[in-house]
Amino acid sequence: MNKEQLINKWLDSGLDETQLNEFKKMPEYDTYTKLSERAPLFKDDSFNVDLEYKKLSSKLNMNTSTTVNTHTSGIRNLINPFLRVAAVVAVGLAVYYMPIYDNMATVKTLADQQTTVALPDASTVSLEKSSSLRFQKRNWNEKRKVNLVGEARFKVAKGSAFDVETWIGKVTVLGTDFKVVQRENFFEIECFEGMVSFDYKGKTVKLPAGKSLRIIDGKIVSKHETKLA
């Protein structure tokens, strides 16, 4: 079985034990498995992998239809499995300002990077290392909402409700300066100014300035004073 067939069967979870051993010998094995393991951490329901793969395939067909030669079919078959891997990469890593959706902006920092993101209303987000932020650019003032994976500090311009969606729950801003830390089995909110409301397991917790909330392994372990800054 050639490399392209192995990749296709791996993507479809169809490898038997012999084929899996052969796949593991490929030099790209570590890269593909790491992407597969990390993809769920950046799940985004608004991104339909199958739909985007069909769009990419359609573009490929349109681009190649103008050139007729005996190798067209073989080239397309060679490229298709790598397009599918590219779709997984797009979901898993949420690359900088992903262009597939003109109305959506995604910013991701690497393990050695930090950045400041300016939102459409002049609110700012200080995005920490190994974090991802996604938000809608158009009609922002009608629904101010961001999706956060990782850690960030928010300084929010006054206006309508401002929501931060995380894996564990939704943070609603009743103040202007707060910090959210979201890592595996760990979650923390610190409120520096105003008040923050947090919806968690059907309950709402409100934190005034100077307070913080910490959740470890799904359990609230502390609510305490935090340093104002």
Side-chain angles (χ1 to χ4, degrees):
M1 183 175 292
N2 62 36
K3 179 185 291 188
E4 291 71 39
Q5 291 173 322
L6 282 174
I7 294 173
N8 271 319
K9 294 201 71 174
W10 172 72
L11 289 169
D12 294 331
S13 301
L15 293 176
D16 58 29
E17 186 175 351
T18 300
Q19 294 165 341
L20 180 60
N21 289 333
E22 184 178 352
F23 179 71
K24 288 180 178 180
K25 295 178 182 178
M26 293 172 53
E28 302 89 351
Y29 171 74
D30 287 341
T31 300
Y32 290 165
T33 53
K34 286 178 181 178
L35 290 175
S36 178
E37 290 169 359
R38 295 184 64 181
L41 300 180
F42 295 89
K43 182 180 179 182
D44 184 347
D45 293 333
S46 67
F47 187 90
N48 187 315
V49 177
D50 292 333
L51 177 61
E52 294 309 318
Y53 174 61
K54 288 178 181 178
K55 289 180 181 178
L56 289 171
S57 296
S58 177
K59 284 187 176 181
L60 175 66
N61 292 336
M62 290 175 63
N63 291 336
T64 56
S65 63
T66 57
T67 303
V68 180
N69 59 66
T70 58
H71 299 291
T72 300
S73 177
I75 293 173
R76 186 178 297 119
N77 291 335
L78 176 64
I79 294 176
N80 277 343
F82 293 100
L83 287 176
R84 297 179 67 186
V85 172
V88 174
V89 174
V91 176
L93 299 184
V95 293
Y96 297 98
Y97 297 99
M98 186 165 54
I100 294 177
Y101 294 101
D102 292 337
N103 189 34
M104 301 302 295
T106 302
V107 184
K108 182 183 181 298
T109 55
L110 301 178
D112 59 349
Q113 291 179 320
Q114 295 171 298
T115 191
T116 298
V117 183
L119 298 177
D121 62 352
S123 298
T124 60
V125 183
S126 298
L127 197 62
E128 295 295 328
K129 300 173 183 178
S130 301
S131 300
S132 176
L133 185 78
R134 183 172 173 83
F135 61 93
Q136 181 174 287
K137 294 181 287 186
R138 290 197 299 270
N139 302 319
W140 168 258
N141 289 329
E142 295 178 11
K143 190 173 185 180
R144 302 197 300 174
K145 184 181 79 169
V146 300
N147 294 86
L148 172 68
V149 175
E151 178 178 350
R153 180 166 176 171
F154 296 80
K155 292 192 176 182
V156 179
K158 292 182 179 180
S160 59
F162 186 103
D163 294 333
V164 180
E165 296 281 359
T166 72
W167 298 328
I168 199 169
K170 181 174 71 173
V171 180
T172 298
V173 179
L174 306 173
T176 58
D177 189 353
F178 66 101
K179 181 179 179 181
V180 178
V181 181
Q182 178 188 239
R183 301 296 182 186
E184 186 176 2
N185 301 321
F186 179 87
F187 184 86
E188 185 176 44
I189 305 172
E190 293 184 75
C191 182
F192 301 104
E193 183 179 327
M195 183 175 288
V196 170
S197 175
F198 178 55
D199 293 335
Y200 180 62
K201 293 185 176 180
K203 297 181 179 181
T204 299
V205 180
K206 292 186 177 181
L207 300 174
K211 293 287 186 178
S212 67
L213 170 70
R214 181 173 295 174
I215 298 173
I216 298 177
D217 292 329
K219 297 180 180 180
I220 297 178
V221 297
S222 65
K223 289 173 63 179
H224 55 80
E225 300 287 335
T226 188
K227 183 180 178 181
L228 294 176

